[in-house]
Amino acid sequence: MQPLLSAHDLHVSYGAVKAVRGVNFEIRQGEIVAFLGANGAGKSSIMNAITGLVPTSSGQVTFEGRDITGAAPETLAPSGLTLSPEGRRVFGTLSVADNLRMGAFALNDKAALETAYKRVYDLFPILQERKDQYAGTLSGGQQQMLAVGRALMSNPRVLLLDEPSLGLAPLIVDQIFDLILKLRDQGVTLLVVEQNVAKTLQVADRAYVLVNGAVVEQGKPAELTASGTMQDAYLGAN
Amino acid sequence: MDIFLQQTVNALALGGTYALLALGLAVVFSIMGLINFAHGELMTIAGYVLMYCGIAGVSFVVAVPLALMASVIAAVLMERIAFRPVRNGSGATMLVTSFAVAMILQVLFQNLISTRSQPVLLPAMLSDSVHIAGMVIGVNKLAAIVATIVMLVFLDWFMKHQKTGIAMRAAAEDFAVARLMGIRANTVIAGAFALSGLLAGVAAVLWVSQRASVDPLMGFMPVLKAFIAAILGGLGSLRGAVAGGFLLGFIEIYLSAFLPPEMQEFREPIGLGIVVLVLLFRPNGLIPSATLKAEKV
């Protein structure tokens, strides 16, 4: 089966600093795939390169058979791929409902828009209660729900989640991981970057382990736990 | 007391014009971090359209929309031709570009139209005055106040309820994430310029209505004032721009009305001194922008 999203020999540099060095990956329809690795391993850089937020220095990203390397970020959400960025980055001075409206910016059809709102409000009833409130006044957990909800408004086939549980209370963290499974059941393919390794390995189908911008191992969670690469990746023994 | 009220009306009229200009600067600045000093030349363009319409015998009611249209088109062209190529440049690059655009336009006006001030034919009604509550108020002053209110209400509605307006606020807060949502950078930036062109056009009509003349350098002073007003209010903040514009208008009018005659020469420095004093206590302006990061495309 052709992968939904894939990268071939992806390189990302910030000036002289090479953040991603020749990464290859393939994500298939319906999978939950995780990128794991210590801080600075290049996880977020890969996410940002896929979505065009940082330029790729070389290599290729393919989505649904189409080359999207260097595509303008604004073209991706309408084509079915979107990112819920690290640090949530909701529009604090916009109301909750307006944040969601922006998530579906390309959508003009009233009925489709209503369906999108309903889906998000069904997943996160609290957002409906707070829909007229400024997003900046929400709690961290609610802002994370809003960030994911905003991304879902464009009805993505692939959703990239960058550190969705960072800085959240343990109870909320559990909700976020439940949500990841729920979204997969709704047919969304997910690529997750997470610092909560244990929980991520519980929900992921496959994971890539990154060290210094390169993939050192990939496989099913059980295989990765058994091989010991994980410990090396986080403790820096490589 | 009568004189005080009278001057308050004058201050509202002048402050409103500054507020519209400062808003035009702020809309563009909040989104792309550019202070567009060629904003004044948009005013001048609108002024010349009014002048030519007067010569051609076009009625003022038709001339005003034409002037607004001209400044909107000029603003969009300005962005497309001059600012898009330097969009990723530093703030200084964009600032110098805006000075270059301003100077090129001034030279064009001087060579193609005239170096001297040209009279603009205005409807006689504008120089009439009306009596309200014992005050004599110029129709042009009244029109300025009404036009300012209409524009502020329109802008508030546009930014709160129109998809493009909401997208502009989102882009001002976090341009990268706005683009991720599918908001096109070019649309938002062109939209911001169009809006600033409209605001400059309305300000130009109000400005010309008070002076009945237009010259190649007409836009420079009001935009310098608007820049001061925008900083006074909090650079990048739309509400701040309005507050700063009105405050500056009030400072200028009250100083020229109530400062003793022997002090009048020092009116401008005293006015700017007051501005500096306000900024000492509120360094980020009256209503600072909550989220200004000035991220660019």
Side-chain angles (χ1 to χ4, degrees):
Chain A
M1 192 170 78
Q2 188 196 22
L4 196 52
L5 178 70
S6 65
H8 177 69
D9 196 26
L10 188 67
H11 288 263
V12 177
S13 303
Y14 302 102
V17 182
K18 292 187 166 67
V20 179
R21 312 157 187 250
V23 164
N24 294 294
F25 63 81
E26 288 189 347
I27 293 149
R28 286 179 287 273
Q29 170 74 45
E31 276 190 311
I32 298 175
V33 175
F35 281 0
L36 302 171
N39 281 338
K43 298 164 297 186
S44 289
S45 292
I46 295 176
M47 299 291 228
N48 291 339
I50 295 171
T51 46
L53 289 182
V54 300
T56 46
S57 15
S58 69
Q60 198 181 32
V61 183
T62 311
F63 172 55
E64 294 184 325
R66 223 156 34 83
D67 183 1
I68 57 161
T69 324
E74 54 257 48
T75 59
L76 296 174
S79 73
L81 181 147
T82 192
L83 165 73
S84 165
E86 180 177 359
R88 309 187 269 273
R89 288 168 77 169
V90 296
F91 302 118
T93 57
L94 267 57
S95 70
V96 168
D98 282 346
N99 266 274
L100 296 176
R101 180 72 189 88
M102 289 299 105
F105 189 76
L107 213 57
N108 284 316
D109 179 52
K110 261 229 160 76
L113 203 58
E114 285 309 313
T115 316
Y117 274 119
K118 189 176 179 315
R119 176 193 192 183
V120 173
Y121 288 149
D122 283 349
L123 278 171
F124 311 109
I126 186 78
L127 293 184
Q128 185 160 24
E129 278 172 41
R130 307 259 156 121
K131 67 184 165 66
D132 296 322
Q133 206 169 312
Y134 284 124
T137 64
L138 297 178
S139 72
Q142 289 161 357
Q143 286 190 15
Q144 184 61 55
M145 291 172 195
L146 180 57
V148 175
R150 183 179 62 178
L152 287 175
M153 287 296 287
S154 63
N155 197 15
R157 289 184 290 287
V158 176
L159 174 61
L160 315 185
L161 292 176
D162 198 349
E163 302 283 12
S165 79
L166 191 66
L168 299 183
L171 200 68
I172 311 287
V173 172
D174 288 343
Q175 288 179 22
I176 296 289
F177 283 96
D178 285 346
L179 170 72
I180 291 175
L181 290 171
K182 209 187 272 180
L183 289 178
R184 194 249 303 269
D185 292 341
Q186 292 187 3
V188 183
T189 304
L190 292 120
L191 177 54
V192 187
V193 163
E194 252 296 337
Q195 32 76 46
N196 193 331
V197 178
K199 289 231 179 272
T200 307
L201 289 177
Q202 283 171 24
V203 300
D205 298 308
R206 282 190 307 122
Y208 289 83
V209 183
L210 289 146
V211 174
N212 289 331
V215 173
V216 292
E217 189 163 16
Q218 57 158 309
K220 293 193 165 36
E223 301 163 7
L224 294 174
T225 331
S227 79
T229 321
M230 291 291 302
Q231 282 84 337
D232 293 348
Y234 280 89
L235 298 174
N238 62 303
Chain B
M1 190 62 199
D2 273 358
I3 292 177
F4 179 77
L5 281 178
Q6 191 86 54
Q7 295 299 346
T8 303
V9 171
N10 292 345
L12 280 174
L14 181 67
T17 309
Y18 286 162
L20 295 183
L21 284 170
L23 259 176
L25 290 177
V27 164
V28 168
F29 182 82
S30 70
I31 287 175
M32 62 184 292
L34 156 74
I35 296 159
N36 183 14
F37 271 97
H39 195 65
E41 279 52 53
L42 298 174
M43 277 182 81
T44 315
I45 288 173
Y48 278 123
V49 172
L50 288 181
M51 176 196 89
Y52 279 120
C53 284
I55 292 171
V58 177
S59 111
F60 196 66
V61 186
V62 181
V64 168
L66 282 178
L68 300 187
M69 219 189 309
S71 59
V72 169
I73 292 170
V76 172
L77 285 178
M78 209 182 257
E79 189 273 324
R80 187 71 193 81
I81 296 167
F83 294 116
R84 197 172 292 185
V86 295
R87 197 185 281 171
N88 289 314
S90 68
T93 306
M94 292 194 290
L95 187 66
V96 171
T97 307
S98 83
F99 277 120
V101 171
M103 281 176 190
I104 290 169
L105 287 173
Q106 286 168 10
V107 170
L108 286 177
F109 300 146
Q110 284 166 346
N111 285 293
L112 300 178
I113 302 172
S114 168
T115 50
R116 283 182 305 174
S117 184
Q118 301 290 307
V120 177
L121 209 63
L122 296 171
M125 194 196 84
L126 272 180
S127 39
D128 279 352
S129 46
V130 286
H131 295 260
I132 298 175
M135 286 184 295
V136 184
I137 300 170
V139 171
N140 53 8
K141 297 272 189 309
L142 212 56
I145 294 170
V146 171
T148 304
I149 293 169
V150 169
M151 282 307 288
L152 293 181
V153 170
F154 163 76
L155 209 67
D156 188 65
W157 167 82
F158 179 81
M159 294 305 249
K160 277 191 184 143
H161 299 289
Q162 281 303 100
K163 197 169 85 161
T164 313
I166 300 170
M168 283 179 178
R169 282 160 59 212
E173 192 173 335
D174 193 332
F175 209 130
V177 172
R179 296 185 76 193
L180 264 183
M181 301 297 115
I183 297 170
R184 285 209 303 279
N186 287 342
T187 309
V188 172
I189 292 179
F193 270 88
L195 210 54
S196 85
L198 177 65
L199 289 159
V202 175
V205 174
L206 303 181
W207 197 256
V208 169
S209 305
Q210 317 283 331
R211 310 169 2 136
S213 72
V214 51
D215 65 83
L217 304 179
M218 179 187 90
F220 179 72
M221 268 323 269
V223 164
L224 190 64
K225 295 286 172 61
F227 177 55
I228 295 168
I231 290 180
L232 185 61
L235 202 52
S237 144
L238 302 191
R239 285 171 205 289
V242 176
F246 277 110
L247 181 57
L248 190 64
F250 274 87
I251 291 173
E252 288 194 350
I253 293 287
Y254 284 154
L255 282 179
S256 80
F258 301 116
L259 217 55
E262 63 274 18
M263 298 276 285
Q264 281 295 337
E265 307 182 53
F266 303 107
R267 199 172 64 212
E268 293 275 320
I270 291 173
L272 287 177
I274 296 173
V275 170
V276 171
L277 205 65
V278 173
L279 289 176
L280 273 179
F281 288 99
R282 294 194 65 87
N284 293 320
L286 299 171
I287 309 174
S289 163
T291 57
L292 188 65
K293 286 187 228 136
E295 269 180 289
K296 290 168 290 171
V297 186

